[in-house]
Amino acid sequence: MLLHEQTQALLDVLPEPALLVAANSEILAVNRALLSELGRSRDELVGSLLRDFVANAPAQAAEYVRSCTRAQERSAPGTIALKPNSGEAIAYRADGYAMRIGPAQSPCALLRLTSRGRNEEFLAILAHELRNPLAPIRNAMQIMRVAEGDVATVAAARVIVERQLRHLTRLIDDLVDLSRITQGKIELRRDSIELTKVIQMALEIARPQLEGKQHPLRISMAGEGLYLKADAHRAAQVFANLLNNASKYSAAGSPIRLEGRLEDEEIVVRVIDEGVGIPAEMTERIFDLFAQVDRPGHGHGTYDGLGIGLTLVKRLVELHDGSVMAESDGADRGSRFTVRLPRAAAPNLADVHPPEAPTHTPGPGLRILVADDNRDAAQTLALMLRLDGHEVRAVHDGAEALLAGDSFEPQLVLLDIGMPVLNGYETARRIKGRPWGNQTYLVALTGWGEEADRSKALEAGFEHHLVKPAEPGALQAIIDRIVAGG
Ligand code: ADP
């Protein structure tokens, strides 16, 4: 029927889930967004009664629909929880609109649904998670102020700040990565890399968490020379997330195992813990965005997190043409995560360069110019570099950087990109036009680490591109290179 097709087409363009329901609660039409959220087919829903798909208070939902059909235009929003094909009910805020359709002008209600449970709850958890580390940081700073002369106390407070900052950085990195992946913006740099290397990098990342809870860690690698075609950083992130979780969801001191081997020409890595375990019905869903296991008796706060770590794991593994799955024998029986990745050929030996020997010889200090419109960022970076024996000027805009550079003639310039008057790219171009510009090494410091940003920076004349907050090691490596005359 033409009318039906038109209604269907209109509903389908709505980005949010929506459905059309008759006054007697018969479902007349559903849109694509709703079908995909519920994982159900149109045939299942259309012609059925809404109450068969309502998880809580079906009578109340029917009453809401009836009141919508009677109302003038738009009704006050209601709440409706719908049963997906599998897994837990999804709670929606429903906005009801009275409609009359068909030759008989039969009253019905258009319900537009917003998955309120998820969005609102996510924002609340996010705010909570981001605020959590701030209290200990503030306390630690207060301790440092009061106990200024007491070296041991100040050192203990510093460890707390470092730990909390690491936690905060990880949360934010996960969020940023996730938004990149969902926009299809993540770029992998895949090389042949040995599995043991990747695992070492993962252990490096997970070490603070693992050491904090003193887990005996057993690593077994079967088979020599297992190579992956992988972006080493991203692959390490996968195993680091699994190791972090293995620790987070087990008691302190409980053992964690990591096993790597070749099975059917695939590289298989298992991370096994003896912790709280995962209920059978959740082993697939935990990879969904924001999915967390309800564990009665463990209030929020016992397990912190946003429910995005495993989503990242899954997406990253899939970007590497692999798969990941979770298994558990039930509550308190531990969990086992298995990652499978295609095996790559060992790299041609001629292509392998011996690693450069570390060359950190605290040579003479450099003249360094720092430009960042975030004054605290500029001042702290300058202070750090001064403590390392360099002569440093800090300015807060590109225009100031050019002025200061003309008299100071820095050997290294660290430029923020987003600055108000003259941005980093333009500043870099102009520096390259100055007489001193060819003798100086330009490093971009930005919040954006995508490949496009990197190439834009290189085009503008930067020799290097570091993502903020720059790791002290990465900056040191650049300084070493300049000191060594490279
Ligand atoms: P987060 O840890 O931030 O909640 P994740 O996406 O990393 O988010 O994990 C999703 C959920 O999966 C967790 O909330 C937790 O309930 C469960 N989970 C993950 N790893 C384990 C594990 N090793 N043991 C038990 N449960 C786990």
Side-chain angles (χ1 to χ4, degrees):
M1 190 169 84
L2 189 60
L3 175 79
H4 186 74
E5 279 170 20
Q6 283 171 338
T7 316
Q8 190 60 57
L10 280 173
L11 282 184
D12 278 341
V13 295
L14 287 179
E16 73 269 39
L19 71 168
L20 199 60
V21 191
N24 68 355
S25 262
E26 181 189 338
I27 300 174
L28 301 172
V30 284
N31 74 348
R32 265 195 217 119
L34 184 60
L35 292 176
S36 89
E37 282 209 3
L38 298 181
R40 292 185 180 277
S41 72
R42 219 181 280 279
D43 288 349
E44 257 182 290
L45 289 164
V46 174
S48 308
L49 289 177
L50 180 63
R51 66 157 180 264
D52 293 337
F53 297 95
V54 171
N56 64 332
Q60 207 177 312
E63 178 48 40
Y64 179 69
V65 169
R66 244 191 323 276
S67 75
C68 290
T69 59
R70 281 196 303 259
Q72 302 286 324
E73 288 184 24
R74 186 173 175 169
S75 307
T79 302
I80 241 173
L82 295 179
K83 290 189 249 180
N85 188 28
S86 63
E88 287 167 44
I90 308 175
Y92 293 101
R93 168 196 146 116
D95 282 292
Y97 300 81
M99 307 257 153
R100 286 181 182 273
I101 60 160
Q105 292 283 294
S106 331
C108 63
L110 170 68
L111 303 184
R112 296 176 60 179
L113 307 177
T114 331
S115 28
R116 84 173 213 173
R118 293 187 184 181
N119 291 346
E120 285 171 17
E121 193 187 328
F122 174 66
L123 278 182
I125 297 176
L126 177 59
H128 176 85
E129 290 294 329
L130 292 177
R131 199 178 49 197
N132 261 346
L134 298 181
I137 290 178
R138 195 172 48 212
N139 293 343
M141 298 309 286
Q142 177 68 13
I143 293 169
M144 287 179 178
R145 190 175 310 130
V146 177
E148 211 172 333
D150 178 347
V151 180
T153 309
V154 170
R158 198 195 58 229
V159 170
I160 294 173
V161 174
E162 283 170 353
R163 184 166 49 234
Q164 295 299 327
L165 222 47
R166 211 165 30 233
H167 177 64
L168 203 51
T169 311
R170 207 173 61 217
L171 274 176
I172 294 171
D173 284 349
D174 276 359
L175 280 170
V176 171
D177 283 345
L178 191 73
S179 84
R180 280 189 199 144
I181 290 187
T182 45
Q183 295 174 56
K185 275 202 195 157
I186 207 150
E187 291 161 64
L188 299 182
R189 292 194 228 172
R190 293 173 75 170
D191 291 311
S192 271
I193 178 158
E194 228 181 329
L195 178 63
T196 47
K197 277 253 172 55
V198 174
I199 300 297
Q200 262 169 22
M201 287 168 69
L203 286 170
E204 211 42 55
I205 305 173
R207 173 163 304 147
Q209 168 78 32
L210 296 174
E211 283 181 354
K213 285 178 74 175
Q214 303 187 331
H215 301 282
L217 184 63
R218 224 179 62 213
I219 298 180
S220 60
M221 287 284 170
E224 291 267 293
L226 293 183
Y227 281 87
L228 302 167
K229 186 102 188 141
D231 183 314
H233 256 83
R234 295 308 188 173
Q237 196 180 0
V238 164
F239 299 116
N241 273 359
L242 294 179
L243 286 165
N244 271 329
N245 275 353
S247 158
K248 242 166 89 176
Y249 299 101
S250 345
S254 121
I256 294 176
R257 277 183 293 152
L258 185 149
E259 298 173 354
R261 68 177 65 175
L262 197 63
E263 284 177 16
D264 302 328
E265 279 306 298
E266 270 184 329
I267 290 185
V268 177
V269 179
R270 291 197 172 82
V271 177
I272 303 161
D273 65 59
E274 299 180 9
V276 296
I278 304 167
E281 70 277 10
M282 286 300 286
T283 49
E284 279 180 31
R285 284 206 52 209
I286 48 171
F287 295 99
D288 291 351
L289 192 52
F290 310 141
Q292 293 187 309
V293 177
D294 256 343
R295 292 197 170 87
H298 299 286
H300 204 82
T302 317
Y303 302 117
D304 48 7
L306 294 168
I308 59 182
L310 286 181
T311 312
L312 268 180
V313 164
K314 183 158 193 263
R315 305 269 175 103
L316 285 174
V317 168
E318 286 170 353
L319 283 173
H320 282 93
D321 309 310
S323 67
V324 55
M325 65 178 241
E327 294 162 297
S328 168
D329 294 333
D332 293 320
R333 313 273 301 268
S335 310
R336 191 165 57 250
F337 284 80
T338 306
V339 175
R340 289 170 193 277
L341 293 164
R343 180 188 194 183
N348 194 333
L349 277 184
D351 297 341
V352 182
H353 306 291
E356 287 168 28
T359 55
H360 184 56
T361 35
L366 295 178
R367 285 188 309 282
I368 304 179
L369 179 63
V370 176
D372 193 328
D373 64 331
N374 180 329
R375 284 167 190 263
D376 286 343
Q379 298 302 341
T380 47
L381 183 55
L383 193 59
M384 253 163 51
L385 292 166
R386 275 187 205 119
L387 288 172
D388 275 347
H390 304 287
E391 191 184 342
V392 190
R393 299 262 170 94
V395 296
H396 307 299
D397 185 68
E400 288 174 36
L402 285 171
L403 263 180
D406 285 340
S407 58
F408 182 51
E409 302 202 349
Q411 294 153 288
L412 169 62
V413 182
L414 300 168
L415 280 181
D416 178 33
I417 293 296
M419 292 185 288
V421 183
L422 206 57
N423 74 28
Y425 296 130
E426 189 50 37
T427 310
R429 271 186 213 106
R430 297 202 193 174
I431 287 180
K432 285 295 167 191
R434 295 292 220 256
W436 52 276
N438 282 331
Q439 316 294 327
T440 195
Y441 196 92
L442 288 184
V443 175
L445 283 177
T446 79
W448 309 100
E450 280 150 41
E451 199 47 46
D453 302 302
R454 208 173 281 278
S455 25
K456 205 163 157 196
L458 298 183
E459 258 166 48
F462 284 104
E463 269 82 20
H464 216 98
H465 176 269
L466 291 178
V467 179
K468 283 200 232 178
E471 261 182 65
L475 193 50
Q476 189 58 50
I478 291 173
I479 290 174
D480 289 345
R481 206 175 316 155
I482 300 173
V483 171

